Amino acid sequence: MTAKPRKPWRVILTGPDVRAESEHTSEAKAYALIRAALGADSPADTAKVMQWEGGRWWHFETVTADEIPEEPS
């Protein structure tokens, strides 16, 4: 069995001109990145959240830019 990674949360950001991955130590940190990365004027439009569990990466959730609330002006 493969050992649990030190950062068991992974975010994969995608969009027309972007594909980036980032690993995190907690779910909260992963979602903080998603809120920042899918904000206004971002080239990314989708974030796929993966979680390490049971010896493999599992798809946890997909978040799109239209699900992120806009910041108050």
Side-chain angles (χ1 to χ4, degrees), residues 12-49:
I12 303 168
L13 298 167
T14 57
D17 298 321
V18 66
R19 185 182 190 293
E21 286 188 28
S22 181
E23 294 184 352
H24 303 274
T25 55
S26 70
E27 180 180 3
K29 290 179 181 179
Y31 279 92
L33 170 76
I34 291 169
R35 284 189 296 279
L38 295 183
D41 301 326
S42 172
D45 58 17
T46 304
K48 184 175 178 182
V49 183

Side-chain angles (χ1 to χ4, degrees), residues 7-10 22-24 26-27 30 49-51 57 60:
K7 296 181 177 181
W9 289 90
R10 180 180 289 167
S22 181
E23 294 184 352
H24 303 274
S26 70
E27 180 180 3
V49 183
M50 306 291 287
Q51 179 184 22
W57 288 103
F60 185 75

